[in-house]
């Protein structure tokens, strides 16, 4: 009788333990489900609050999207080049694509004409190529609208720029060890027609650089 009783008790205990484990697993699944739903609701609420604020300020989401693409393109053009010739081409692209005149203060400060020597045949030897400088726009820039007036949006932009040197790379140094990250704070105004104006900027170090 004792052996039978112990067997029955053991069986019941096993069933009970398995049932408890199953119940706990079900509870955990329910908790995870509820947490997921709550996170979704909180996200929607946050998005709704943000949308309400944007609406109160008269901000158009379509404008934020199109202006953001335009600003990113401007940054990419400004900060992406790998030779003296590429640098000069980027300057010309900025002037023609974004309507920036040669005397634009932004161009003078952020992209002054590259220094070079020219031989008798007219071939140019750029300083940028001598030191092997390369520049590229880094991670996606942070773009936030700071002012809206009659369809004219002003943005604050935080851009990360990666600068490397081919000369250092030739010494078998890894790219990571020869990459300098520069962060620049820019302000950009874009009107309803997509025209960029009032560019101003503050690099990680040095004087404030701006244009009118």
């Amino acid at each position: 009788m004792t052996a039978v009783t112990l067997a029955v008790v053991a069986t019941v205990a096993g069933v009970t333990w398995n049932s408890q484990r199953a119940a706990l697993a079900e509870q955990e699944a329910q908790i995870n489900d509820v947490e997921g739903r709550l996170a979704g609701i909180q996200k929607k609420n946050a998005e709704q609050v943000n949308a309400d604020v944007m609406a109160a300020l008269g901000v158009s989401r379509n404008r934020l999207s199109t202006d953001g693409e335009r600003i990113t393109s401007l940054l990419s053009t400004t900060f992406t080049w790998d030779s003296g010739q590429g640098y000069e081409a980027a300057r010309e692209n900025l002037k023609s694509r974004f309507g920036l005149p040669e005397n634009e203060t932004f161009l003078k400060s952020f992209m002054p004409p590259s220094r070079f020597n020219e031989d008798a045949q007219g071939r140019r030897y750029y300083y940028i190529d001598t030191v092997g400088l390369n520049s590229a726009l880094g991670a996606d820039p942070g773009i936030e609208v700071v002012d809206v007036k009659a369809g004219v949006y002003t943005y604050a932009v935080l851009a990360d720029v990666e600068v490397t040197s081919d000369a250092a790379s030739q010494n078998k140094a890894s790219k990571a060890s020869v990459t300098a990250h520069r962060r620049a704070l820019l302000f950009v105004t874009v009107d309803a027609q997509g025209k960029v104006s009032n560019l101003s900027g503050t690099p990680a170090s040095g004087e404030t650089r701006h244009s009118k």
Side-chain angles (χ1 to χ4, degrees), residues 38-66:
L38 287 175
I41 292 172
Q42 290 172 347
K43 181 180 179 181
K44 287 182 180 179
N45 288 341
E47 291 175 347
Q48 185 59 51
V49 169
N50 185 56
D52 291 342
V53 171
M54 292 293 185
L57 293 174
V59 176
S60 164
R61 287 187 176 275
N62 288 337
R63 276 293 303 276
L64 294 182
S65 177
T66 56

Side-chain angles (χ1 to χ4, degrees), residues 104-125:
E104 179 80 22
T105 304
F106 181 83
L107 275 178
K108 290 180 179 179
S109 299
F110 274 89
M111 293 193 77
S114 180
R115 289 182 291 166
F116 62 86
N117 292 320
E118 191 170 6
D119 63 18
Q121 286 72 42
R123 289 190 294 266
R124 292 184 175 183
Y125 301 90

